[in-house]
Amino acid sequence: MTRLHLFDLDGTLLHGTTAPMEISRQLGREAETVALEHAIAAGRIGPPEYAAQVYDLWTDLTEAHVRTAFESAPWLARIREVWAEIRGAGEYCAVVSLSPSFFVERLLDWGAHAAHGSRFPAVPFTEPVDPSGALNAAAKVIIADRLCAEFGVARADCVAYGDSASDKELFAVVPVSVAVNADTHLAGLATHSYTGRDLWDAYELVGSAR
């Protein structure tokens, strides 16, 4: 059986933080980004407004900032080892995240077959962000379906890994899900639950389905 493993990024592969927070940290804009994250979590703004406002915080962003943010971020242990194992088993792994595409796509170098994030222009910015390119929870399902078609699998062959409200819709349409360091939004929805800092241990919870 071939499966597609779908990984969230913020709070899932990244422990206790988000890609925008790690990017903003490089520019000294943490406080502004915390306020934006509170606003989107509370539903006061949506992903398009978040994308437009965080873009405005990053006018001075350089490729060096993004590289440092990525390399110094608190990743879970053994991400690359899990993805190598998935590939070795003839299965597929992809990252689907609401975070900026220019950060998410760096995970292709770690072994992901695909990596999708909210569409942002290349860094350094020379053009505006298109807020309509910001992903939401429903978009994760749409992208998952597109990846299923690309890899020749069905929703019934998918495993989702996530931590928060943005993963609820995806968890609802796949048969196997893993709540990773999750908040209360996923309570009772996941097939498995993992708390810790090693992706291999979370992955092993679904190993018996292979």
Side-chain angles (χ1 to χ4, degrees):
M1 181 178 68
T2 297
R3 294 185 300 177
L4 170 59
H5 299 257
L6 298 158
F7 295 89
D8 173 54
L9 173 63
D10 300 322
T12 303
L13 297 177
L14 285 174
H15 186 266
T17 189
T18 67
M21 277 300 305
E22 296 306 304
I23 294 165
S24 291
R25 198 182 314 281
Q26 303 304 314
L27 299 169
R29 304 283 170 78
E30 300 101 314
E32 296 96 322
T33 306
V34 167
L36 284 178
E37 299 212 339
H38 285 166
I40 195 169
R44 295 194 300 274
I45 61 174
E49 294 80 13
Y50 181 94
Q53 292 182 47
V54 79
Y55 172 88
D56 288 340
L57 294 180
W58 295 342
T59 54
D60 300 326
L61 190 63
T62 67
E63 176 63 20
H65 288 134
V66 178
R67 182 172 60 252
T68 300
F70 186 90
E71 292 175 352
S72 63
W75 298 99
L76 292 193
R78 295 198 284 181
I79 294 172
R80 281 169 278 198
E81 289 84 349
V82 168
W83 292 350
E85 176 76 6
I86 289 170
R87 281 178 169 269
E91 299 180 351
Y92 300 97
C93 52
V95 182
V96 185
S97 170
L98 275 56
S99 276
S101 51
F102 61 78
F103 191 96
V104 179
E105 289 167 4
R106 287 176 171 266
L107 289 166
L108 292 170
D109 291 338
W110 284 16
H113 287 93
H116 293 271
S118 294
R119 292 196 308 273
F120 269 69
V123 176
F125 300 143
T126 58
E127 55 187 275
V129 67
D130 179 1
S132 69
L135 301 187
N136 56 23
K140 286 192 171 187
V141 177
I142 294 170
I143 292 170
D145 285 340
R146 190 185 310 152
L147 290 171
C148 283
E150 179 180 343
F151 297 132
V153 300
R155 283 185 181 179
D157 305 314
C158 291
V159 181
Y161 304 75
D163 76 303
S164 65
S166 70
D167 303 299
K168 287 179 67 174
E169 294 192 32
L170 185 58
F171 274 35
V173 299
V174 301
V176 180
S177 55
V178 185
V180 179
N181 297 315
D183 62 24
T184 56
H185 290 98
L186 298 184
L189 296 179
T191 313
H192 306 283
S193 182
Y194 170 74
T195 301
R197 302 193 64 162
D198 192 326
L199 187 62
W200 190 277
D201 294 337
Y203 169 69
E204 283 197 323
L205 294 174
V206 302
S208 60
R210 282 179 294 180

